[in-house]
Amino acid sequence: MMKNNLNSWVYYQAPKFNNLRVKSIFLGLLAAGFISCSNDDLQDPVSLDNSSALLDEGTSVKVLLLKEKDFYTPPTSYAVTKDLVTDYGVDKIFSTDDSQKFQKAIDDVSAKGGGKLLIPKGNYSVSNVKLKSNVHIIVSDEAVIRPSIRPNTDKNYAMFTFGKESDVIKNVSFSSASSNKFIVDLTKANNPNVAVFNFNNVDNFSISDFKILDKLTKFSSVTMGITKFNDKYFWPRNGVVKNANTLNSDYGYGLVQVQAAKNVLYKKLKGTGGVTLRLETGWTFMNDLQKGGVEDMFGENISCTNGNAAVMVSPHAMHNGKVYVNGITANSCGFAVRLEGGFVSKKYSTPGLTKGTFSNVTISNVKATYGNKEAQLKPKHYKYMPCNLRSLINENPIVAEGESYNGPSISAIVNTPNYTVNLDENSVEGIGFVEDYVIVTDEQAKTSEQCN
């Protein structure tokens, strides 16, 4: 749970009836459904045999008062302050790869007891820079950072990594020097298989105040997952991601994807294209290993424009902990929220895997506005769309030979979980949607043949 050991993190008001015709699904799960952060033997998968009966009445959920201090503790003093340009001779032009000098500056600040590394106004190019403990990077809002040119255009990489295949990295942050965002420009990347921030074995972290200029690259800008060090597996814990947005993301990616993390706050995040906050634990390696997953994820003020969804919750074959998201907005997106059931992919090779779950997901205050042509869609979701809207789907994929298409918004929420979902229907607003399609379930799905 959160650092202040808040034991009861969701409180309920008296049940209320509402005027939505589609009722929310609460599929009870009596067994504990979250992944432990221990690195001991693999945890047994949670069984659904003890599921309670399906409930059909809405429950109004009280909004939590989330405090950043419960997730990240900032420093109270700094041993040193260094400037990337004046102290390390970076020339501030894109054509120069600044990775080595950036790394040297980080290493120095960490070795001297920690402190600030200032990135002044200018243009920078970096790749595979490793954060070190007690380093706090402060970027001018007039700085632009790009990926450096990659010799191997097929290899996956990140611009900045936090604890990848290393001992734990503690007490780190990356933020703007002002209230305005600094820019990360991916539009010139010669290798599109890039993440901006990759989190692994890191404890007590914060990243904020940035804008990603994307061009349908092949990773979410912020990724979180497991890593191996000294024969044990670790993943991010205790952090904040806030005040950030991405532009022109691909359907399958977006601003943030979390495969594994514990006790993280996501706040004031916006995405154009893709999924803004993707809690999807689908990495084949992790599902086969059954290490990782997400536990105690908290979101507040998450939005999507012309994309896939603002929030996606999908467990695959992982058995995850609690998720709470309040304040979700979508404008011309396929959905505001995707609540998807677990499944065991054919890609997974470990015997005995079961459909993944979350111990509890709470969603409240959702507002979705229908758009008729800019949402990002995949054919697997067409079955939830009203039959008379399907002709509006663009026949040409968004990316040549790709699998996603632009078309009309489908609904505010697609609600098809096999785990506990506390969905406050009283706080769900769908503007411009076909009646009865504000919240859709499998009961409303229709194939193309059924539409004809």
Side-chain angles (χ1 to χ4, degrees):
M1 292 301 294
M2 295 192 288
K3 287 184 180 180
N4 64 355
N5 295 317
L6 180 64
N7 292 318
S8 182
W9 63 279
V10 175
Y11 303 88
Y12 299 101
Q13 297 173 342
K16 297 180 181 179
F17 295 99
N18 62 62
N19 57 7
L20 290 176
R21 294 192 179 184
V22 183
K23 294 184 177 179
S24 81
I25 292 181
F26 296 88
L27 220 165
L29 183 63
L30 300 182
F34 52 85
I35 294 291
S36 170
C37 272
S38 166
N39 289 297
D40 299 328
D41 294 337
L42 299 182
Q43 181 178 354
D44 293 333
V46 174
S47 171
L48 293 180
D49 293 342
N50 294 324
S51 297
S52 67
L54 185 68
L55 303 180
D56 63 358
E57 298 298 346
T59 302
S60 185
V61 180
K62 183 177 181 179
V63 174
L64 297 181
L65 298 177
L66 300 175
K67 299 178 181 178
E68 291 184 27
K69 67 179 183 179
D70 293 323
F71 302 88
Y72 168 69
T73 303
T76 56
S77 63
Y78 301 92
V80 296
T81 297
K82 294 290 185 177
D83 186 292
L84 186 64
V85 174
T86 58
D87 292 319
Y88 296 91
V90 171
D91 60 16
K92 301 195 294 184
I93 59 175
F94 285 131
S95 59
T96 303
D97 187 342
D98 303 310
S99 302
Q100 290 186 356
K101 291 181 178 180
F102 214 125
Q103 189 65 63
K104 178 67 165 59
I106 289 172
D107 294 347
D108 285 353
V109 171
S110 182
K112 294 178 186 300
K116 299 178 184 179
L117 176 59
L118 306 180
I119 314 301
K121 175 182 177 180
N123 300 323
Y124 306 89
S125 297
V126 301
S127 294
N128 290 329
V129 172
K130 300 178 180 179
L131 268 290
K132 298 293 179 68
S133 292
N134 304 309
V135 176
H136 302 274
I137 297 176
I138 301 174
V139 187
S140 165
D141 59 22
E142 296 184 88
V144 180
I145 307 174
R146 287 181 179 174
S148 54
I149 299 299
R150 304 291 295 170
N152 182 345
T153 57
D154 295 324
K155 187 176 181 180
N156 302 336
Y157 68 107
M159 296 174 66
F160 300 96
T161 64
F162 296 70
K164 181 179 181 181
E165 298 175 350
S166 78
D167 199 356
V168 60
I169 302 302
K170 295 183 177 181
N171 312 321
V172 290
S173 67
F174 215 118
S175 64
S176 172
S178 73
S179 59
N180 297 321
K181 299 179 179 69
F182 65 90
I183 302 296
V184 180
D185 181 7
L186 305 182
T187 64
K188 306 298 181 182
N190 72 316
N191 180 352
N193 301 333
V194 58
V196 179
F197 300 106
N198 174 242
F199 291 89
N200 293 280
N201 188 11
V202 56
D203 186 359
N204 196 46
F205 63 90
S206 174
I207 59 171
S208 62
D209 315 320
F210 58 92
K211 179 188 292 185
I212 310 293
L213 307 181
D214 205 343
K215 64 166 187 178
L216 304 175
T217 56
K218 299 306 177 185
F219 281 102
S220 295
S221 296
V222 180
T223 60
M224 300 186 186
I226 63 172
T227 193
K228 190 175 184 180
F229 180 70
N230 284 347
D231 296 322
K232 293 184 178 181
Y233 287 94
F234 302 90
W235 45 92
R237 55 268 188 202
N238 304 318
V240 174
V241 180
K242 69 173 184 176
N243 194 31
N245 64 295
T246 184
L247 303 175
N248 196 30
S249 293
D250 186 68
Y251 171 97
Y253 305 100
L255 181 57
V256 178
Q257 176 161 8
V258 189
Q259 302 271 5
K262 180 177 182 179
N263 194 50
V264 182
L265 172 64
Y266 309 90
K267 183 177 180 181
K268 295 182 181 179
L269 304 182
K270 299 179 180 181
T272 299
V275 177
T276 306
L277 177 58
R278 181 187 295 265
L279 304 175
E280 181 180 17
T281 53
W283 183 15
T284 298
F285 175 76
M286 190 178 72
N287 279 261
D288 280 330
L289 191 66
Q290 287 293 291
K291 284 285 190 182
V294 301
E295 179 181 356
D296 297 340
M297 300 287 98
F298 295 83
E300 189 172 71
N301 296 332
I302 313 296
S303 72
C304 165
T305 300
N306 297 344
N308 174 347
V311 175
M312 176 182 176
V313 180
S314 178
H316 291 244
M318 296 299 297
H319 297 278
N320 304 283
K322 296 176 181 178
V323 172
Y324 168 91
V325 188
N326 169 55
I328 302 167
T329 305
N331 293 297
S332 191
C333 294
F335 308 93
V337 183
R338 287 171 56 183
L339 298 170
E340 302 197 347
F343 64 94
V344 179
S345 171
K346 294 179 180 179
K347 297 179 181 179
Y348 306 156
S349 59
T350 298
L353 295 179
T354 59
K355 293 181 179 180
T357 58
F358 289 83
S359 66
N360 186 289
V361 175
T362 297
I363 301 291
S364 61
N365 292 309
V366 179
K367 181 178 180 180
T369 302
Y370 171 83
N372 66 359
K373 62 179 181 179
E374 298 295 340
Q376 293 176 331
L377 311 172
K378 272 194 173 180
K380 66 180 182 179
H381 286 133
Y382 293 174
K383 63 184 179 180
Y384 299 113
M385 184 185 295
C387 294
N388 65 334
L389 297 182
R390 300 185 190 186
S391 63
L392 299 177
I393 300 169
N394 195 316
E395 295 181 357
N396 299 312
I398 296 171
V399 177
E401 300 181 0
E403 299 177 347
S404 58
Y405 301 80
N406 286 128
S409 302
I410 296 176
S411 68
I413 299 175
V414 59
N415 194 16
T416 59
N418 60 310
Y419 43 83
T420 304
V421 171
N422 302 308
L423 176 59
D424 185 1
E425 290 191 1
N426 291 308
S427 68
V428 178
E429 181 181 6
I431 300 172
F433 289 92
V434 173
E435 187 177 7
D436 293 338
Y437 279 84
V438 174
I439 301 174
V440 295
T441 67
D442 282 330
E443 294 178 354
Q444 293 156 273
K446 290 186 178 180
T447 65
S448 298
E449 290 75 16
Q450 290 174 311
C451 283
N452 294 329

